[in-house]
Amino acid sequence: MSQRNQAATSQAAAAAPIPQNLAVRIAVISDIHANLYALEAVFAEIERDPPDEIWCLGDTVGYGPRPNECCALVQERSSLVLVGNHDLVALGSADVTVEDFNPEAAAASIWTSSELSPGSREFLSSLAPQAEREGAALFHGSPSDPVWDYVITDLAAEEAFALTQASLILVGHSHVPTALALADDVVQGGVASTGFEADLGPGRWLLNPGSVGQPRDGDARAAYLRLDLGLRQASFERVAYSVDRTQAEIRERGLPDALADRLALGV
Ligand code: ZN
């Protein structure tokens, strides 16, 4: 068989029905920010209806009081994990510095950096800020800057669709659950309310699961996303957790009070 024929055969295979062994049902988490009680609550909820895989879009640490426990749990449970800007700052990676943060984030980052175990460092250092899966492109931030850019405007979403081919783009970083569809070159949609279910159909979508450990849409509950890539459906989920316990640990560790206060408000 010529190389060209081989390529044609593999393209035909790609267009065939989804293979049995491909992950179809996915739980997507992001921006855990060392909030262990939120993460445990989300994993417990996910386990009630176990997906094929769990994907994490990054920022496992930063802000919160339990960086090492969150690294261990995310590493153990997730099939795919991205690195986020807070993870990179805590690692002391080049090009990403604490000066890019506001004072609370910077203080937490310096504390996180001193707390990270060798195992957590090794885990976070092994990760990239973007990845690809069958039909899906994943970024912590955005396609134009996977580490730092936010997709929070229609313009940024248009750019994200233009820079990728994937029918489904997954991003984290903004901490706001978002569902945007591209229809006739126009971006539609916005913040995804709790329980929002999107029929992805044959179109192109950009989804943000929201944040497990520091939601910023006015809802204090931990956020995550369920996907069924076979049925082309997405549903935005929320899980209540013990905000008080995380707040108490933030204060015990001498992290900025504002980081505890905001968790109760979901801002
Ligand atoms: Zn984040």
Side-chain angles (χ1 to χ4, degrees):
M1 187 186 287
S2 72
Q3 281 197 342
R4 175 173 289 192
N5 280 345
Q6 277 178 355
T9 306
S10 66
Q11 272 183 5
I18 295 171
Q20 290 283 309
N21 60 352
L22 191 73
V24 171
R25 297 175 71 244
I26 318 288
V28 187
I29 61 173
S30 190
D31 296 278
I32 291 108
H33 286 295
N35 187 339
L36 181 63
Y37 302 117
L39 182 63
E40 287 177 339
V42 165
F43 277 145
E45 194 62 33
I46 287 173
E47 279 313 308
R48 288 159 63 95
D49 183 11
D52 300 323
E53 290 190 354
I54 296 173
W55 296 350
C56 172
L57 304 180
D59 274 1
T60 300
V61 305
Y63 292 127
R66 297 282 205 122
N68 293 315
E69 292 86 345
C70 288
C71 282
L73 208 49
V74 164
Q75 183 174 20
E76 180 196 320
R77 307 288 281 278
S78 311
S79 306
L80 185 160
V81 186
L82 304 183
V83 74
N85 56 317
H86 283 259
D87 303 320
L88 290 168
V89 171
L91 287 172
S93 301
D95 313 335
V96 203
T97 71
V98 80
E99 276 88 59
D100 294 309
F101 279 155
N102 65 47
E104 282 94 23
S109 184
I110 291 163
W111 177 85
T112 303
S113 196
S114 69
E115 246 346 82
L116 279 184
S117 68
S120 298
R121 284 185 171 277
E122 192 184 344
F123 167 59
L124 294 173
S125 303
S126 72
L127 307 174
Q130 64 187 84
E132 266 196 67
R133 280 290 191 269
E134 185 81 33
L138 292 72
F139 306 89
H140 176 67
S142 79
S144 61
D145 182 341
V147 176
W148 285 104
D149 247 20
Y150 293 91
V151 183
I152 46 176
T153 63
D154 285 358
L155 198 63
E158 278 171 28
E159 190 186 32
F161 284 117
L163 287 173
T164 58
Q165 303 291 319
S167 63
L168 178 61
I169 305 169
L170 299 171
V171 300
H173 193 41
S174 73
H175 298 209
V176 176
T178 306
L180 298 169
L182 187 69
D184 298 328
D185 290 334
V186 177
V187 172
Q188 296 173 343
V191 175
S193 54
T194 305
F196 176 75
E197 296 196 0
D199 185 358
L200 305 179
R204 297 189 69 199
W205 286 78
L206 182 145
L207 305 177
N208 185 323
S211 168
V212 169
Q214 194 194 77
R216 295 180 189 162
D217 62 342
D219 184 338
R221 294 174 298 169
Y224 77 101
L225 175 70
R226 278 188 185 271
L227 291 174
D228 189 318
L229 299 178
L231 298 174
R232 300 282 298 163
Q233 286 173 347
S235 66
F236 288 82
E237 311 287 345
R238 297 307 274 254
V239 186
Y241 75 96
S242 177
V243 173
D244 297 2
R245 289 171 78 193
T246 295
Q247 287 180 311
E249 290 185 357
I250 287 173
R251 296 195 166 99
E252 273 165 29
R253 283 153 179 71
L255 290 163
D257 267 342
L259 297 179
D261 295 341
R262 67 187 300 173
L263 291 183
L265 304 170
V267 293

